[in-house]
């Protein structure tokens, strides 16, 4: 392969990889008249899907995730989290909810929300890629 063709191929490959660095990013909205939503998706190994949801302090939120191989988990970030790019990889920093923090591999969480604002639910695979169903309820 000529050097210029190799460079083009390398740049194309690098660009394709960056398209999927974050996976899904979307806001959770409940169907009209409902206080719960279930989302079905898949996350590729090494990537995370991110869901924003706005709620008020004192409301009760319940989050659960299920996957065939029990290899999907989530982290819930409190309002005020920040999204930063570290070496080209989008990373979330900030406080999390107790029991659904980084590295806790939460599969179920329920509690009263401590603050009003936008929460972030980050979903990833614990062992390889994972197909999952994420259910979020706010009352």
């Amino acid at each position: 392969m000529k050097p210029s063709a190799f460079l083009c191929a390398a740049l194309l490959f690098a660009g394709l990889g960056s398209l999927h660095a974050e996976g899904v990013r979307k806001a959770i909205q409940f169907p009209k008249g409902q206080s719960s939503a279930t989302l079905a998706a898949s996350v590729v190994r090494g990537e995370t899907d991110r869901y924003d949801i706005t709620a008020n302090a004192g409301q009760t939120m319940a989050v659960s995730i299920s996957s065939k191989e029990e290899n999907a988990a989530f982290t819930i970030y409190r309002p005020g989290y920040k999204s930063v790019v570290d070496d080209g990889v989008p990373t979330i920093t900030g406080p999390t909810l107790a029991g659904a923090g980084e590295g806790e591999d939460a599969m179920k969480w329920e509690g009263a929300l401590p603050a009003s604002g936008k929460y972030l639910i980050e979903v990833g695979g614990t062992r390889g890629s994972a197909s999952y169903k994420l259910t979020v309820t706010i009352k």
Side-chain angles (χ1 to χ4, degrees):
M1 182 179 290
K2 293 182 182 179
S4 60
F6 177 76
L7 179 60
C8 289
L11 289 172
L12 177 62
F13 180 74
L16 289 174
S18 67
L19 287 174
H20 300 288
E22 187 176 294
V24 170
R25 178 71 187 249
K26 68 188 253 184
I28 297 174
Q29 295 183 350
F30 300 140
K32 189 173 182 174
Q34 302 288 319
S35 60
S36 183
T38 298
L39 303 120
S42 296
V43 63
V44 176
R45 179 181 182 195
E47 295 179 2
T48 57
D49 289 348
R50 295 176 178 157
Y51 301 96
D52 297 306
I53 188 157
T54 302
N56 295 317
Q59 285 186 295
T60 298
M61 181 166 73
V63 180
S64 63
I65 194 165
S66 62
S67 57
K68 258 186 180 177
E69 297 180 14
E70 295 186 6
N71 64 333
F74 59 81
T75 300
I76 304 173
Y77 290 90
R78 294 174 54 151
Y81 64 85
K82 297 201 183 324
S83 181
V84 297
V85 177
D86 185 19
D87 287 333
V89 177
T91 305
I92 303 297
T93 62
T96 58
L97 295 176
E102 293 178 26
E104 293 187 79
D105 291 342
M107 296 174 70
K108 186 173 184 174
W109 185 90
E110 183 172 354
L113 297 174
S116 295
K118 189 188 304 183
Y119 287 80
L120 177 75
I121 302 169
E122 184 176 55
V123 175
T126 58
R127 297 179 319 277
S129 299
S131 294
Y132 63 89
K133 286 187 181 179
L134 178 71
T135 300
V136 179
T137 303
I138 294 183
K139 294 182 181 179

